Amino acid sequence: MEVKENNLFSGLAGKRLVLFSGKGGVGKTTVAGAFARWAARRGRQVMLLEVRSRRELPGLFGRQDADDGPRQLAEGISWMNLTDRRALQTYGMLKLRFRAVYRAVFEQRLVRRFLQAVPALSEILVLGHLAHLVEHQPGVLHVVDAPASGQGRQLLAAPRAVLDTVRSGPLYESVSWIQDLLADGRRTAIGLVVVGEELSVNEALELYERLHRQLQLPVQALIANRLLAHPLDAPVRKLLERCRLEPELAPAVGNALRLHERVALQQRYLDRLRAGVPLPLAELFEVIEADDAAAPLRRLAEQMDSAEEGR
Amino acid sequence: MNRVLDNLCRTSQVLFTVGPGGVGKTTLAAVLGLQAALSGRRTLVMTVDPALRLADALGLGKVRPGRRVTISGRRLERHGLQLRAGLEMVMLDTGRSLAAAVSRQVASRKLQRRIVEHPFFQRMCEDLAGAREYAAMEELYHRLQRGQHDLVVVDTPPANHALDFFDAPEKVLQVLDRRAWRWLMRPALLAGSVGRRTLDFSSGYIVRTLSRFTGMKFLAELASFVNLFAGALEGLRQRAEHLRQIMRSDRSAFVLVAVPEHHPAEQALRLGRRLAAREMTPRLLVVNRCQPPAGALPGSPGWQEGLVRRLVAEEGAGEAAARRAVVALERGHRLQRRLALRDRRRLAALERQAEGRFPLATVALLEQDVHDIAGLEQIRRQLFAPAEARSAPAGREES
């Protein structure tokens, strides 16, 4: 399904692989988790994936345990942390076929050291593992909480980098297979998560430039997260400015105007983003109170519902 | 004024800002640099972040990586600030720093060129895990050796890579260690020069298997690079060791940065503990962007009606607009209160979790994003201004 403004989330849910990227601290992980929850509620079988991460998603679903999965987090949602080591085991085994060979070669300390030196190899292994999952679970929607901008860019750029330097051989073949999946906008979509702040928007613009224009990857949606809603119209603002001098009212007026400034600033940054990136944008609002660990995720998923129905 | 931080700016030789992504490490690094330069110390602020945020934070726009930029005293004077020593910033250029590191270790120009022009070197600069971090450490060491600065403030990569940063020398140098390679590719390396033709992996069951992954060409390339690089290795290793000693000594200090949000705070604490385990215990946890308290609504009952009447009578407002203004006040107050209460809860939790290992300092959220000297100065005043001179920086007026 094509991703449009009025069906952004269902558009994404129609893919087999959705990656969320963006600057650190914008709430990518929460958005990925909420989207998984939203899609699962609509009957999709979802596999949520973190990449070499701190295993945050189980916590956001209110779970305590701390291994790398795979594990069921909720009805219809399984989760796993993609690590270099596991990717090497799964994808490496696939290429090498025999466990004994794997042990003899890849469990060697020196060889591991070597693997660090192979540019982009660990990225390729992780992506290979991911592509392998997508291929073998055709009915499943894979939602990836990709690493923050810099590292995320490196991850997604790795196949292209390898294809540009290696022109044949086994590595070439497996990497083209990975690249085919990543670049295929029918099966795959990348969503950029931003907050209404300058640096976040700057990075999103850069990321779009790199992923979409240079690497031709299917960046298909923008998700603005943690927005505040506090609009003041012009006459009200003018009246409030006048009240500022009354000592009794000053604190409250200060709040109202400051919040208004922040909201206006957020919108200005989002406008800049819209001007630079011609993609549908969904607005999600800050979840302030969390009654329990799973609340932010739940509330964001509800917001996704109303974003989809309200239009 | 925060005494711990003030003291660090006066006495440390290297200050690292560490923490998760997006919490304001770069901004804080710039603030600390500014404070030190104001107190008369020649200061360099170094960032390793590829997103070039420092330039943004300092309002310098796009500056080429690798080039040192002096912050002009005149610019600062406009904000009432008197620099008493030079303040410079630099954004790391991995390729340049690594090339410079190599040329400091390898005497022969010809060999230098062969190394830095080697295709593997180019790729290493872009891709090798830890290469960027390693380059930063080399650059830092170099700057310290040059002795042109009293203080170098280092803005490190986000939390999960910050440890890479401190472990980088070891990792990168291990990879390029020829002794390890000897075992792997003995015949080829002993032959001296390794080209595709002379490459004989007869000892290499392992090598053959690896090549199924990477292709033989890559292995040959890597082997030849390792061979070329061997001469530089020992010197680089010594420098890395020396730098590690500096990082563990009193000359260096680590400042942990977080925001009052669950995940960043948790990440920051985890990072703090892991640094402590490496004998690099952070001295302070700066919690950035705390919501200011909401203050109070008027206490008198029926103030809303009174205000509506006043606005209509004195300001000539329509009644509908006047009522909307009252609603806006109440709504704004409620929203700010919720935000402030949330931050207070989180700060309390953070303080509990920090268990006194790292004292906390808070910085209030500013009205605008910090992307210029004025913003840096507001934060600097929050942290460093003497109590009486702290004349209501933005976001604090009703605390």
Side-chain angles (χ1 to χ4, degrees):
Chain A
M1 194 192 290
E2 206 185 331
V3 178
K4 294 183 185 145
E5 189 90 9
N6 60 1
N7 73 357
L8 189 144
F9 295 109
S10 14
L12 293 179
K15 310 288 173 187
R16 285 170 60 182
L17 172 60
V18 176
L19 302 115
F20 290 102
S21 192
K23 178 175 178 291
V26 297
K28 246 181 316 68
T29 310
T30 322
V31 168
F35 174 67
R37 193 188 150 98
W38 184 86
R41 294 254 150 153
R42 305 207 156 194
R44 287 294 323 246
Q45 198 66 33
V46 183
M47 178 163 226
L48 252 177
L49 297 149
E50 289 182 69
V51 179
R52 302 175 193 146
S53 78
R54 303 135 303 198
R55 297 181 290 244
E56 285 182 14
L57 277 160
L60 289 171
F61 278 86
R63 310 281 293 243
Q64 293 296 322
D65 17 27
D67 57 88
D68 285 324
R71 169 159 13 108
Q72 193 81 11
L73 288 187
E75 179 83 40
I77 305 176
S78 59
W79 167 85
M80 186 159 88
N81 188 17
L82 293 175
T83 59
D84 292 359
R85 182 139 193 207
R86 162 181 277 164
L88 188 54
Q89 276 169 4
T90 318
Y91 184 60
M93 283 280 292
L94 215 73
K95 289 261 139 208
L96 296 170
R97 283 167 230 284
F98 306 109
R99 188 171 287 273
V101 175
Y102 170 80
R103 288 237 174 84
V105 176
F106 288 94
E107 299 266 305
Q108 297 280 352
R109 201 165 49 97
L110 285 171
V111 175
R112 279 229 216 97
R113 217 181 257 180
F114 159 86
L115 291 174
Q116 290 176 354
V118 180
L121 181 61
S122 70
E123 277 84 5
I124 294 295
L125 286 170
V126 165
L127 289 173
H129 187 187
L130 179 61
H132 174 69
L133 288 170
V134 173
E135 183 170 279
H136 285 84
Q137 310 184 105
V140 175
L141 167 64
H142 296 80
V143 178
V144 182
D145 172 21
S149 306
Q151 303 295 320
R153 205 163 27 211
Q154 236 172 50
L155 181 74
L156 294 169
R160 191 71 271 157
V162 172
L163 293 178
D164 286 347
T165 41
V166 184
R167 310 230 174 243
S168 60
L171 187 65
Y172 181 86
E173 281 155 35
S174 35
V175 174
S176 333
W177 171 70
I178 295 169
Q179 180 68 5
D180 285 348
L181 170 67
L182 275 188
D184 177 5
R186 282 163 310 161
R187 286 181 291 168
T188 303
I190 299 171
L192 300 184
V193 184
V194 298
V195 294
E197 289 170 18
E198 181 171 30
L199 299 182
S200 162
V201 165
N202 286 354
E203 288 203 21
L205 289 166
E206 269 175 48
L207 205 56
Y208 178 72
E209 178 67 31
R210 177 97 178 104
L211 298 183
H212 174 78
R213 288 195 214 285
Q214 294 174 19
L215 297 169
Q216 272 113 43
L217 295 177
V219 184
Q220 296 184 353
L222 300 171
I223 296 105
N225 191 27
R226 295 174 41 188
L227 300 177
L228 288 174
H230 180 71
L232 299 179
D233 56 43
V236 164
R237 234 169 69 218
K238 230 153 92 196
L239 287 177
L240 290 184
E241 293 283 359
R242 302 259 172 77
C243 305
R244 200 164 208 173
L245 297 175
E246 295 185 35
E248 209 191 20
L249 289 174
V253 172
N255 287 336
L257 292 176
R258 198 171 44 240
L259 283 167
H260 174 78
E261 274 303 308
R262 206 133 266 281
V263 171
L265 197 64
Q266 285 182 340
Q267 286 305 327
R268 278 205 296 283
Y269 290 136
L270 292 189
D271 287 344
R272 248 189 68 212
L273 182 65
R274 284 193 184 95
V277 181
L279 285 178
L281 180 141
E283 297 193 344
L284 300 176
F285 292 86
E286 173 103 57
V287 175
I288 301 176
E289 286 88 5
D291 323 313
D292 54 273
L297 238 162
R298 208 167 50 230
R299 306 270 281 277
L300 271 192
E302 285 163 14
Q303 288 190 33
M304 290 175 181
D305 260 335
S306 33
E308 214 79 342
E309 282 152 16
R311 283 174 183 145
Chain B
M1 155 157 47
N2 188 295
R3 285 190 190 288
V4 178
L5 213 48
D6 184 55
N7 200 30
L8 291 180
C9 286
R10 280 176 203 286
T11 58
S12 307
Q13 217 176 341
V14 193
L15 272 176
F16 295 93
T17 54
V18 291
V23 299
K25 282 185 300 296
T26 308
T27 307
L28 186 71
V31 167
L32 298 179
L34 179 60
Q35 170 69 10
L38 289 172
S39 74
R41 303 187 75 205
R42 296 167 301 163
T43 304
L44 174 69
V45 180
M46 205 173 102
T47 181
V48 298
D49 199 301
L52 311 184
R53 293 189 209 148
L54 187 62
D56 278 357
L58 285 170
L60 290 172
K62 293 262 178 249
V63 178
R64 261 218 320 245
R67 170 167 295 184
R68 263 189 295 166
V69 176
T70 305
I71 311 298
S72 96
R74 208 171 294 154
R75 249 184 98 103
L76 293 173
E77 271 165 31
R78 270 182 258 147
H79 299 273
L81 296 171
Q82 198 75 49
L83 275 189
R84 291 170 51 210
L87 174 57
E88 292 180 311
M89 58 167 281
V90 66
M91 280 173 297
L92 192 78
D93 177 338
T94 307
R96 253 171 83 157
S97 296
L98 287 182
V102 167
S103 60
R104 285 192 286 270
Q105 296 302 327
V106 179
S108 143
R109 288 256 161 145
K110 203 169 140 218
L111 188 54
Q112 284 174 17
R113 240 201 345 268
R114 280 181 66 197
I115 291 179
V116 301
E117 282 168 8
H118 194 283
F120 186 84
F121 183 85
Q122 313 282 345
R123 282 209 242 153
M124 179 174 100
C125 293
E126 286 162 26
D127 286 323
L128 176 57
R132 185 162 57 99
E133 286 77 10
Y134 176 63
M137 298 312 263
E138 255 296 326
E139 185 71 30
L140 170 61
Y141 186 78
H142 177 61
R143 295 289 170 208
L144 290 175
Q145 291 298 92
R146 292 285 291 271
Q148 293 171 340
H149 301 97
D150 303 311
L151 170 68
V152 182
V153 186
V154 185
D155 167 37
T156 65
N160 31 349
H161 298 284
L163 291 170
D164 278 357
F165 184 81
F166 300 112
D167 299 338
E170 217 148 323
K171 255 191 181 167
V172 173
L173 296 180
Q174 266 181 5
V175 166
L176 298 176
D177 189 343
R178 184 159 65 162
R179 281 169 301 182
W181 281 84
R182 248 191 209 143
W183 174 80
L184 213 59
M185 308 186 169
R186 190 174 309 133
L189 284 168
L190 292 182
S193 87
V194 185
R196 211 205 280 230
R197 242 170 265 141
T198 60
L199 199 61
D200 167 24
F201 290 126
S202 56
S203 71
Y205 164 62
I206 288 179
V207 168
R208 274 200 307 279
T209 314
L210 279 174
S211 72
R212 280 160 71 176
F213 253 93
T214 64
M216 198 58 97
K217 178 167 171 262
F218 173 79
L219 289 182
E221 197 179 285
L222 181 51
S224 88
F225 183 73
V226 165
N227 215 24
L228 277 177
F229 200 74
L233 202 67
E234 198 40 48
L236 292 176
R237 187 163 274 147
Q238 278 168 17
R239 288 162 71 89
E241 183 47 41
H242 191 186
L243 186 60
R244 221 187 330 266
Q245 281 168 16
I246 295 177
M247 278 161 50
R248 287 180 179 152
S249 75
D250 288 345
R251 295 158 69 187
S252 311
F254 298 80
V255 177
L256 211 48
V257 191
V259 287
E261 287 169 30
H262 181 68
H263 284 281
E266 228 173 37
Q267 276 177 269
L269 288 173
R270 199 177 318 153
L271 180 61
R273 283 192 292 269
R274 292 173 73 178
L275 284 170
R278 285 170 169 74
E279 302 169 57
M280 300 186 284
T281 310
R283 305 285 180 87
L284 189 76
L285 169 55
V286 175
V287 188
N288 216 347
R289 298 208 289 261
C290 298
Q291 290 281 349
L297 285 173
S300 48
W303 65 270
Q304 294 95 332
E305 279 309 309
L307 181 58
V308 169
R309 277 199 303 277
R310 249 179 7 259
L311 288 175
V312 171
E314 293 165 24
E315 308 290 343
E319 181 165 338
R323 291 205 179 277
R324 281 208 306 281
V326 170
V327 170
L329 281 185
E330 291 181 311
R331 213 180 40 206
H333 177 79
R334 266 200 310 275
L335 181 52
Q336 187 58 44
R337 216 175 113 82
R338 287 164 66 206
L339 292 170
L341 279 176
R342 173 182 68 177
D343 279 8
R344 206 158 24 142
R345 277 196 305 274
R346 286 172 169 172
L347 270 173
L350 192 51
E351 194 138 35
R352 256 196 326 276
Q353 288 166 309
E355 293 171 336
R357 271 178 301 214
F358 329 110
L360 256 59
T362 57
V363 174
L365 180 71
L366 305 184
E367 246 167 82
Q368 300 283 326
D369 285 352
V370 177
H371 47 61
D372 55 11
I373 303 281
L376 292 181
E377 171 57 8
Q378 282 184 22
I379 294 182
R380 195 191 67 83
R381 274 165 56 195
Q382 287 195 41
L383 288 169
F384 295 104
E388 68 273 18
R390 205 152 136 177
S391 57
R396 279 270 165 146
E397 62 262 41
E398 72 278 351
S399 59

